[in-house]
Amino acid sequence: MKKPAILVARAVFPEVLTQLEQHFEVAANQGDTLWTPAELIERLQGKQGAFTTGSERIDAALLAACPELKICANMAVGYNNFDLAAMTDAGVKASNTPDVLTETTADFGFALLMATARRMAESEHFLRAGRWKSWRYDLFAGAEVHGSTLGILGMGRIGQGIAKRGAHGFGMKVIYHNRSRLDAATEVLCGASYVSKADLLKQADHLMLVLPYSPEAQHAIGATELAQMKPTATLVNIARGGIVDDAALAQALKNRVIAAAGLDVFEGEPALHPDLLTVPNVVLTPHIASATLPTRRAMAQLAADNLVGFLLHGKALTPLN
Ligand code: GLV
């Protein structure tokens, strides 16, 4: 029997590709070329499955041009590159990679919080530039982390992982805001209390964004919200670009409306708002929150398993529709 044809849209672990080749006719992109939407459509012709990452936009126009497509398996937990309603309408299955990246991403969120609060990037640049001449009582004095108030916006699996680290590891008071409140037992497990968004902004010493992107979340943190935060506060975004108004944030950092920010995701990434590169009080990382090799392997494996599960056995492991 003829094997189903799939496209692996970006470079992937060679061993995952070898596995996929056992089940499918695979068109790969190990050169990791970034295709235009038109090139992606061209490469998808005759393919029943696609292994995608957050970089490939799957929308109604693409679906209409690729009538044989049956499933897109995203190697990411976020799926704002998918027009899920259009995929459902077109009868195309969508899947993501939840759970396997939760703890690694929570680790990174905490690392970025620590680096931001304790001014690690700024002080390292100072040192590398040969500007360190002597110890000084207030040299790169940052914000306290232990015992401070950690605010979490978005309390899914990753938010809960960060809450546990803060409450149980660093003795922080943890407050959160989410579309829906957690049940009491989960709140106790996370050491977290539910507050309104206004109280979260007002009370947090460190505000961590972990909510999924949706059109309603666009600029959930803009000039108005930043003005409600403490001038000593730090903001960390490991969620998605667009949730923060990066232009407003750069302005707020420059004017010390808040003390510092740590950003792993950006509006229009990999492009950055140019003002973010000129303010010293921001730690910038290139969308690497889930990037450890074991976790990235687990994500790739789950995306591959979704393709095998759906195209060969009619059932994706972690479907979105
Ligand atoms: C990364 O941003 C992901 O959604 O997995």
Side-chain angles (χ1 to χ4, degrees):
M1 206 178 77
K2 200 165 168 285
K3 291 178 183 172
I6 66 162
L7 176 72
V8 180
R10 297 291 306 278
V12 72
F13 294 98
E15 61 271 26
V16 172
L17 209 52
T18 304
Q19 258 184 54
L20 287 169
E21 281 164 353
Q22 289 166 13
H23 304 286
F24 304 118
E25 285 303 325
V26 180
N29 179 15
Q30 291 301 78
D32 214 26
T33 305
L34 293 176
W35 294 321
T36 63
E39 287 168 335
L40 180 60
I41 287 174
E42 195 186 311
R43 301 276 188 319
L44 278 171
Q45 293 311 301
K47 306 290 189 293
Q48 285 90 61
F51 182 116
T52 57
T53 70
S55 311
E56 288 75 49
R57 175 96 191 123
I58 307 297
D59 58 14
L62 179 140
L63 295 166
C66 304
E68 289 176 64
L69 195 60
K70 292 192 171 70
I71 175 170
C72 294
N74 223 26
M75 182 185 153
V77 67
Y79 50 91
N80 54 307
N81 57 314
F82 285 174
D83 181 337
L84 203 55
M87 292 176 78
T88 305
D89 284 351
V92 172
K93 182 64 67 185
S95 64
N96 67 340
T97 57
D99 300 319
V100 292
L101 49 54
T102 301
E103 298 302 328
T104 298
T105 305
D107 283 350
F108 186 87
F110 225 88
L112 193 51
L113 187 163
M114 298 285 287
T116 305
R118 298 303 306 272
R119 305 175 65 182
M120 286 184 174
E122 199 183 343
S123 58
E124 198 206 0
H125 292 152
F126 169 88
L127 187 150
R128 283 182 187 272
R131 292 168 57 201
W132 186 26
K133 301 299 177 211
S134 64
W135 182 93
R136 199 188 132 87
Y137 74 96
D138 63 348
L139 185 66
F140 290 105
E144 214 69 89
V145 175
H146 74 274
S148 64
T149 298
L150 170 61
I152 302 177
L153 186 58
M155 199 59 156
R157 288 164 282 218
I158 297 168
Q160 291 175 33
I162 290 167
K164 286 176 194 155
R165 282 160 177 75
H168 307 315
F170 286 79
M172 297 170 95
K173 174 181 173 188
V174 181
I175 52 177
Y176 76 98
H177 183 74
N178 196 41
R179 268 177 311 187
S180 47
R181 187 171 173 170
L182 300 177
D183 60 70
T186 310
E187 282 190 353
V188 170
L189 211 63
C190 293
S193 337
Y194 183 83
V195 295
S196 67
K197 185 176 170 190
D199 282 342
L200 189 78
L201 294 170
K202 206 161 57 189
Q203 292 174 23
D205 294 310
H206 308 287
L207 178 60
M208 177 80 65
L209 308 180
V210 214
L211 62 166
Y213 182 84
S214 65
E216 303 80 63
Q218 174 73 13
H219 290 185
I221 302 293
T224 310
E225 289 75 18
L226 290 163
Q228 292 171 56
M229 293 173 66
K230 296 181 184 179
T232 49
T234 58
L235 173 73
V236 177
N237 186 8
I238 58 163
R240 271 294 179 274
I243 292 176
V244 174
D245 177 344
D246 285 349
L249 175 62
Q251 199 61 32
L253 289 168
K254 201 161 141 193
N255 298 334
R256 306 277 163 171
V257 174
I258 63 168
L263 306 174
D264 186 50
V265 289
F266 305 88
E267 270 187 296
E269 65 185 52
L272 258 69
H273 192 287
D275 291 353
L276 286 173
L277 294 172
T278 65
V279 282
N281 45 342
V282 61
V283 182
L284 307 167
T285 53
H287 203 147
I288 55 168
S290 67
T292 66
L293 284 175
T295 291
R296 287 284 166 88
R297 278 205 178 90
M299 292 165 69
Q301 187 64 55
L302 181 52
D305 290 347
N306 272 312
L307 287 168
V308 173
F310 188 71
L311 287 174
L312 271 51
H313 309 293
K315 201 167 162 50
L317 273 68
T318 49
L320 292 163
N321 61 356

